[in-house]
Amino acid sequence: MNTNYANTNSKKTFKEKLTQYFQKFNGSENVSTSQNKMVLLSTFLLIMLGLYFFSVFHNDFEVFNAMQAQSAIGLTFITISSFLFFYKVLFFAYTAYNFYKYKPIASVSDKELPTCTVIVPAYNEGKQVWETLISLSKSNYPKEKIQLLAIDDGSLDDTWDWIKNAKKQLGDTLEIYKQPKNKGKRHALYRGFNLGTGDIFVTVDSDSIVTEDTLRNLVSPFIVDEKCGAVAGNIRVLNNKKEMLPKMLDVSFVMSFEFVRSAESNLNSVLCTPGALAAYRRSAVFKCLPEWIEQKFMGQPSDIGEDRAMTNMILKQGEHVLFQSNAVAYTNVPEEYLGLYKMFIRWGRSNVRESLEMAKYVFTDFREGNKTGTRLLFISQFAELIMSFPFMLFMLFFVLVHPLLFFGSTLVSILVLSTFSLIFYTNRHKSTQGFWAYSYSILYTFGLFWITPYAIATANKRGWLTR
């Protein structure tokens, strides 16, 4: 470990360091490589080519549907597809309405803020865990009300050295612990929950950086809403300065958090609090902690999806789960396709498992008040799982029967849907990076379409994959 470098770096003010990190988001240090320019150019050339093919072959689409309608299987599929299409349109309108109604809860006063335990589990993060802990220590939160825990989950690199370096710099404001061996993130968090003394638990990934107001904004809903059991933070991409995949994922994250989770929050039913930044009421955690740490799927211990599982168990208690768009964490994401699809497989398997768990209670009287919104969210998500195999088979059949029409109609759909993402991102963050929405949609449609069916087929498999 380069101690001199760490000490020199620590002499910079937190504001200067954070500015260096976040300049990449406003474009002042945005380095557009020739490869990135080529990808964006290729994206728009593909879309133009798709528009051309659709204009030439769109009449064949009616013929194709007529042919399929002549068979019972084809007619059934068209009927179901049409129903789902109109359902998705209506559900999108419903989501947009709830997004419009959403407002983040403003920070309460220092006096009202609850005691808070921040848990940072780390495994093979190296210097990044030091950056995370320093950013947390600079939070605009009453020092006497915050407990900061760093837990090394048996790292094999110099992570523990960086944690000790942070301890040396921060002193008694940081407590550090080391697991005797790598047992997984869930067990590291479990230790933190049992060591924590705060009324609110906050979990932060060891590759994330928070802003000064993140913690106080994240925990304020627990004071305003006595039924609030958990809060999801707003996640942005940290390492999107050069590589194209992080640029694409930043646009995707903005849609996923600032649009979808905002709408879910208006229904008091955010379905997943992200591991990168989330907060939980202490009493809600301990009600489900034994079940959470012992959770199994098809007889195997669950070593993934600890965030989604905790959220699900808190929703089941009848508690509200909210989203705070003003509580921001910037986190690292994969920069290569291999890491990306492994991350998505892990998320997909967790989604399958927790959707099955949610099906057990969502149609019961699990909480007071209106539950229709929660049920609609579940139905929409579960329908995507159920239809993933049929749609994949239909897509492959479409490719074989009329590849140019498939190519054209798919790219037209991407143009329409991604334009909404572009407008939303640009309006929220005043950045041209929203154009990466088109490239991401093409990548996902043609390069990641298999993720959900594969995740369903292998939902019983264990492993973090990206470690």
Side-chain angles (χ1 to χ4, degrees):
M1 180 180 68
N2 190 338
T3 306
N4 291 332
Y5 175 75
N7 290 335
T8 301
N9 209 28
S10 65
K11 291 178 182 178
K12 296 180 180 179
T13 67
F14 178 72
K15 185 175 182 179
E16 288 173 342
K17 290 173 62 181
L18 208 57
T19 299
Q20 289 178 358
Y21 270 113
F22 299 160
Q23 276 178 336
K24 64 188 76 176
F25 300 105
N26 62 27
S28 59
E29 287 189 3
N30 185 34
V31 181
S32 295
T33 64
S34 57
Q35 185 181 24
N36 290 348
K37 291 179 180 179
M38 185 63 69
V39 168
L40 283 174
L41 178 61
S42 300
T43 295
F44 290 107
L45 288 176
L46 276 174
I47 290 176
M48 290 174 63
L49 187 61
L51 287 170
Y52 171 74
F53 285 146
F54 186 76
S55 67
V56 172
F57 299 110
H58 72 279
N59 290 330
D60 293 358
F61 195 77
E62 296 180 8
V63 176
F64 179 81
N65 283 336
M67 291 176 59
Q68 299 310 308
Q70 292 177 5
S71 67
I73 295 178
L75 182 60
T76 301
F77 186 85
I78 290 173
T79 302
I80 294 175
S81 299
S82 299
F83 172 78
L84 289 176
F85 172 76
F86 286 111
Y87 172 78
K88 293 297 289 186
V89 170
L90 292 174
F91 187 77
F92 175 82
Y94 181 67
T95 302
Y97 169 77
N98 280 286
F99 161 76
Y100 176 76
K101 297 286 288 183
Y102 166 80
K103 293 292 185 295
I105 294 173
S107 171
V108 298
S109 67
D110 285 2
K111 183 178 180 179
E112 294 174 294
L113 285 171
T115 56
C116 173
T117 295
V118 183
I119 307 168
V120 181
Y123 179 71
N124 289 356
E125 285 296 347
K127 181 178 178 258
Q128 183 60 58
V129 66
W130 182 86
E131 301 281 3
T132 300
L133 293 170
I134 295 302
S135 75
L136 286 165
S137 72
K138 300 298 183 180
S139 295
N140 180 19
Y141 204 96
K143 302 305 179 185
E144 69 277 8
K145 290 187 175 183
I146 189 168
Q147 177 190 27
L148 180 56
L149 307 179
I151 302 175
D152 184 349
D153 187 29
S155 297
L156 304 176
D157 64 356
D158 60 351
T159 295
W160 182 240
D161 291 330
W162 283 107
I163 290 176
K164 289 190 294 184
N165 184 282
K167 170 66 174 176
K168 183 178 180 180
Q169 181 172 341
L170 301 178
D172 293 339
T173 60
L174 172 64
E175 300 175 31
I176 64 174
Y177 302 91
K178 186 177 177 65
Q179 299 279 71
K181 64 178 182 178
N182 178 242
K183 300 179 68 176
K185 183 179 178 182
R186 189 179 297 231
H187 284 271
L189 289 173
Y190 180 74
R191 185 175 182 181
F193 290 142
N194 283 289
L195 289 169
T197 59
D199 292 327
I200 305 298
F201 292 121
V202 175
T203 62
V204 181
D205 278 352
S206 54
D207 59 353
S208 301
I209 302 294
V210 302
T211 63
E212 291 183 356
D213 292 333
T214 290
L215 291 184
R216 65 184 305 124
N217 288 337
L218 187 69
V219 304
S220 290
F222 293 101
I223 303 302
V224 176
D225 182 358
E226 63 180 14
K227 290 296 293 178
C228 177
V231 179
N234 188 4
I235 309 303
R236 296 289 305 280
V237 175
L238 178 62
N239 57 324
N240 75 337
K241 187 174 182 180
K242 295 181 180 180
E243 300 300 326
M244 65 183 74
L245 283 182
K247 291 177 183 291
M248 296 179 195
L249 286 171
D250 190 43
V251 180
S252 174
F253 278 20
V254 167
M255 286 299 300
S256 175
F257 285 91
E258 297 182 28
F259 182 69
V260 176
R261 279 178 174 79
S262 291
E264 292 177 347
S265 186
N266 194 56
L267 299 168
N268 300 320
S269 302
V270 174
L271 298 185
C272 182
T273 53
L277 179 66
Y280 308 98
R281 194 182 294 276
R282 180 187 185 88
S283 58
V285 168
F286 277 96
K287 282 181 182 178
C288 62
L289 197 58
E291 178 187 1
W292 180 77
I293 194 61
E294 297 294 337
Q295 187 182 33
K296 294 182 179 180
F297 183 79
M298 297 182 68
Q300 296 290 327
S302 294
D303 56 357
I304 61 172
E306 72 292 328
D307 47 2
R308 179 75 192 276
M310 179 66 75
T311 310
N312 217 0
M313 292 177 184
I314 291 176
L315 278 171
K316 186 179 179 180
Q317 294 175 25
E319 301 289 319
H320 296 169
V321 180
L322 307 178
F323 166 69
Q324 281 287 80
S325 61
N326 55 5
V328 184
Y330 294 85
T331 193
N332 285 318
V333 297
E335 297 182 351
E336 298 179 354
Y337 178 78
L338 180 64
L340 180 66
Y341 84 69
K342 286 184 176 181
M343 181 180 75
F344 280 177
I345 288 172
R346 187 176 73 244
W347 290 357
R349 287 171 178 166
S350 174
N351 186 32
V352 173
R353 298 178 183 191
E354 295 307 320
S355 292
L356 292 174
E357 287 299 315
M358 193 172 186
K360 298 177 182 179
Y361 72 83
V362 72
F363 295 106
T364 68
D365 190 24
F366 67 96
R367 77 176 181 202
E368 298 177 357
N370 194 323
K371 295 169 277 292
T372 302
T374 312
R375 290 165 179 168
L376 288 174
L377 292 173
F378 167 78
I379 291 170
S380 178
Q381 190 169 86
F382 203 73
E384 291 181 5
L385 294 176
I386 293 174
M387 295 305 298
S388 61
F389 277 104
F391 271 113
M392 185 177 70
L393 294 174
F394 175 75
M395 183 182 75
L396 295 175
F397 175 71
F398 199 172
V399 170
L400 291 174
V401 172
H402 205 317
L404 295 182
L405 177 58
F406 167 79
F407 185 73
S409 58
T410 300
L411 287 173
V412 168
S413 299
I414 286 174
L415 175 63
V416 173
L417 296 176
S418 297
T419 297
F420 175 79
S421 298
L422 166 65
I423 294 171
F424 184 85
Y425 186 95
T426 303
N427 182 62
R428 301 282 288 188
H429 299 288
K430 314 304 179 188
S431 170
T432 58
Q433 286 202 77
F435 283 101
W436 285 100
Y438 297 102
S439 301
Y440 178 75
S441 293
I442 290 175
L443 171 65
Y444 195 91
T445 302
F446 295 101
L448 296 167
F449 68 91
W450 55 274
I451 293 290
T452 299
Y454 181 78
I456 294 172
T458 62
N460 64 318
K461 287 194 173 183
R462 302 178 60 193
W464 198 260
L465 296 179
T466 52
R467 287 295 190 187

